[in-house]
Amino acid sequence: MPKIDFEQLKQRSLKIRAVYHELERAHHGSEWTVEEDALAFLTDAGLVGRHTMSQQGRWPKENTKEELQHKLGESIWWLTVLASRMDLDIEDATEKFLAKTEKLLGQ
């Protein structure tokens, strides 16, 4: 499977989010707010935790690898969308985090 770069990640994520906004308008009369997007991300992040527990044998559910993989990807998608909606660049935010943490750890 081909790898994506940050620019592709941003473009594809925002295109998908635009389609969801259309569905929200059709079903609810308005788009979700940034806060609602953040809550949806937190819900999916919680599911990453639950699926991780299952994958590690600490929760009584089997065969969760596919669900875990989906929720990990969806969480990255949500973070990309949230960054864009808050006028932040996910690539810049990630680079700043990595550089700051590497410096802190002496790497």
Side-chain angles (χ1 to χ4, degrees):
M1 178 169 284
K3 304 297 181 188
I4 60 173
D5 63 27
F6 269 103
E7 195 55 42
Q8 291 173 323
L9 173 67
K10 290 186 282 189
Q11 290 174 10
R12 292 171 69 188
S13 293
L14 295 177
K15 187 175 179 179
I16 291 168
R17 190 66 189 102
V19 174
Y20 277 116
H21 280 314
E22 290 175 20
L23 292 170
E24 292 156 7
R25 286 190 301 272
H27 293 280
H28 306 290
S30 64
E31 296 176 3
W32 280 8
T33 65
V34 174
E35 296 88 346
E36 288 170 312
D37 279 0
L39 182 59
F41 160 68
L42 291 173
T43 301
D44 287 331
L47 289 170
V48 168
R50 180 55 51 92
H51 293 317
T52 298
M53 288 177 66
S54 176
Q55 193 259 353
Q56 293 294 308
R58 302 297 288 173
W59 189 256
K61 187 175 178 187
E62 296 180 11
N63 303 319
T64 58
K65 181 179 179 178
E66 188 174 316
E67 292 169 322
L68 177 57
Q69 185 176 26
H70 178 85
K71 286 301 174 187
L72 284 169
E74 189 172 16
S75 293
I76 292 168
W77 173 77
W78 272 123
L79 289 171
T80 303
V81 167
L82 284 166
S84 177
R85 292 197 73 190
M86 294 184 282
D87 296 321
L88 300 169
D89 184 281
I90 193 69
E91 185 173 4
D92 186 52
T94 303
E95 174 54 38
K96 285 180 179 178
F97 165 78
L98 292 172
K100 182 178 180 179
T101 304
E102 287 167 343
K103 184 177 179 183
L104 179 69
L105 298 174
Q107 293 185 340

